[in-house]
């Protein structure tokens, strides 16, 4: 246990007596309860590590009312940590709509912002390091209970039977350039690519599918596009049944040697490195702003 941990526990849970030998330690995520004995006045028995865990988890997560909110806009969404924890989403009028828990907060919040933009105005986030599902649930429950105590009601999205926030949305299908491998085209693949990128506002040529990218660079591009909240199409260049030949044809069309490749309004923007640079500089918001009006 780090120095000061006992003081932390005694502040949060009164009635701590002296620690006992290290061999009786109970592991709770990254935290260790080093055999601490608790008096009956604390309401915690020394042989009940689960209850000890609940108190420690809830004490280590800041109260909902103490966490500052961030606006759900592209430049702020990119700052949400890709870590596990709990989050609370408020609408544009400041009403709490939903409290969730996630193994990857950034992905969950970005998904809500994409699927339910009318209900997403701001978000509060608390990272819960190295917690198991039960400990995450305890942190989530603490936030929900705090809201109920303050308002007398459950957040609407957490009400029994409400699946607005939890129903899984069907992922968009990847584009298929050809009906099948053996189907002959009446135009060249380069001409077909030109039609595709000019027909759709945003097209990403990637390795793997939208839901299962097969290289880190493709995953990075998909993450950036999701963060921007724009509608985009994907072409899996590894799909030999429907996109045979596209992997090399796209390189010829764009005069760019690597994949992924992103096109916006028919214009080639770049690959993973260029997209990352645009995201880090904030220029990417300007690129997609016309598509969000």
């Amino acid at each position: 246990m780090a120095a000061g941990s006992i003081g932390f526990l005694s502040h949060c849970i009164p009635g701590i007596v002296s620690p006992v030998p290290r061999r009786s330690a109970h592991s709770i995520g990254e935290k260790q309860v080093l055999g601490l004995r608790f008096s009956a006045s604390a309401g915690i028995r020394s042989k009940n590590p689960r209850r000890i865990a609940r108190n420690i988890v809830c004490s280590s997560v800041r109260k909902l009312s103490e966490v500052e909110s961030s606006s759900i806009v592209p430049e702020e969404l990119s700052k949400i940590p890709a870590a596990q924890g709990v989050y609370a989403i408020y609408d544009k009028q400041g009403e709490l709509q939903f409290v969730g828990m996630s193994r990857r907060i950034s992905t969950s919040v970005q998904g809500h912002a994409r699927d339910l933009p009318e209900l997403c105005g701001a978000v509060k986030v608390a990272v819960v390091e190295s917690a198991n599902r039960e400990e995450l649930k305890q942190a989530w429950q603490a936030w929900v209970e705090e809201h109920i105590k303050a308002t007398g009601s459950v957040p609407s999205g957490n009400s029994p039977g409400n699946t607005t926030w939890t129903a899984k949305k069907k992922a968009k299908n990847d584009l298929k350039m050809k009906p099948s491998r053996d189907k002959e085209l009446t135009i060249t693949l380069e001409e077909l690519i030109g039609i595709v990128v000019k027909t759709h506002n945003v097209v990403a040529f990637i390795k793997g599918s939208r839901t299962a990218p097969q290289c880190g660079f493709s995953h990075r591009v998909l993450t950036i596009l999701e963060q921007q909240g724009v509608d985009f199409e994907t072409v899996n260049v590894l799909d030999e049944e429907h996109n045979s030949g596209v992997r090399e044809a796209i390189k010829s069309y764009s005069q760019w040697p690597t994949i992924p490749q992103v096109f916006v309004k028919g214009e080639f923007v770049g690959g993973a490195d260029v997209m990352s640079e645009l995201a880090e500089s904030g220029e990417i918001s300007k690129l997609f702003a016309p598509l969000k009006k």
Side-chain angles (χ1 to χ4, degrees):
M1 179 177 286
S5 295
I6 295 178
F8 165 76
L9 288 171
S10 62
H11 172 72
C12 296
I13 311 173
I16 290 183
V17 190
S18 58
V20 296
R22 181 177 294 271
R23 65 176 177 273
S24 60
H26 299 292
S27 176
I28 302 174
E30 285 186 342
K31 305 175 182 67
Q32 296 282 326
V33 182
L34 298 178
L36 294 175
R37 292 198 301 264
F38 296 81
S39 70
S41 64
I44 304 173
R45 297 181 179 178
S46 59
K47 294 183 179 180
N48 191 350
R50 178 174 292 182
R51 190 166 181 182
I52 295 173
R54 174 174 170 77
N55 280 272
I56 291 175
V57 170
C58 292
S59 297
S60 63
V61 176
R62 294 174 63 189
K63 290 183 177 181
L64 176 63
S65 57
E66 296 175 348
V67 178
E68 292 186 9
S69 63
S70 298
S71 298
I72 297 182
V73 292
E75 53 268 29
E76 293 298 325
L77 279 176
S78 62
K79 300 175 185 177
I80 294 176
Q84 64 180 5
V86 292
Y87 60 92
I89 295 184
Y90 296 77
D91 61 22
K92 294 175 175 62
Q93 287 71 48
E95 293 293 326
L96 179 60
Q97 293 294 317
F98 180 70
V99 178
M101 62 180 184
S102 175
R103 287 296 184 186
R104 193 179 180 88
I105 304 172
S106 57
T107 300
S108 296
V109 175
Q110 289 158 13
H112 294 320
R114 179 191 64 243
D115 298 332
L116 301 166
E118 69 282 3
L119 296 178
C120 297
V123 63
K124 291 185 177 183
V125 168
V127 173
V128 184
E129 296 288 358
S130 302
N132 58 35
R133 181 173 178 80
E134 181 61 27
E135 291 163 347
L136 271 181
K137 185 177 179 180
Q138 291 164 5
W140 167 84
Q141 185 176 345
W143 272 22
V144 173
E145 290 177 348
E146 181 186 343
H147 178 75
I148 294 174
K149 184 176 180 180
T151 66
S153 61
V154 177
S156 60
N158 297 107
S159 299
N162 188 328
T163 61
T164 301
W165 299 85
T166 56
K168 292 186 178 294
K169 303 293 192 298
K170 184 179 179 181
K172 201 171 188 179
N173 292 327
D174 301 301
L175 293 180
K176 297 176 180 179
M177 305 289 280
K178 298 192 293 184
S180 67
R181 178 199 292 267
D182 300 326
K183 181 70 175 180
E184 292 292 333
L185 298 175
T186 57
I187 57 176
T188 66
L189 270 176
E190 285 82 357
E191 290 174 317
L192 180 57
I193 289 171
I195 293 173
V196 168
V197 300
K198 291 171 183 175
T199 301
H200 303 283
N201 285 333
V202 182
V203 183
F205 290 80
I206 60 175
K207 292 181 180 178
S209 67
R210 176 189 291 260
T211 56
Q214 294 184 30
C215 82
F217 297 112
S218 294
H219 182 272
R220 189 193 308 174
V221 162
L222 290 173
T223 299
I224 292 171
L225 291 174
E226 291 283 4
Q227 288 174 342
Q228 292 304 306
V230 294
D231 184 45
F232 65 94
E233 307 295 334
T234 51
V235 178
N236 178 6
V237 301
L238 301 183
D239 180 357
E240 287 299 317
E241 178 62 28
H242 300 100
N243 299 327
S244 59
V246 173
R247 184 172 183 173
E248 295 306 318
I250 187 62
K251 297 176 184 178
S252 173
Y253 179 84
S254 64
Q255 294 298 295
W256 191 259
T258 59
I259 294 167
Q261 296 188 17
V262 177
F263 291 77
V264 177
K265 302 288 285 186
E267 298 295 327
F268 175 57
V269 176
D273 289 342
V274 172
M275 293 294 288
S276 294
E277 291 172 4
L278 290 172
E280 290 169 5
S281 68
E283 290 296 311
I284 198 165
S285 296
K286 298 178 182 178
L287 176 66
F288 290 121
L291 304 180
K292 299 178 182 180
K293 295 179 178 179

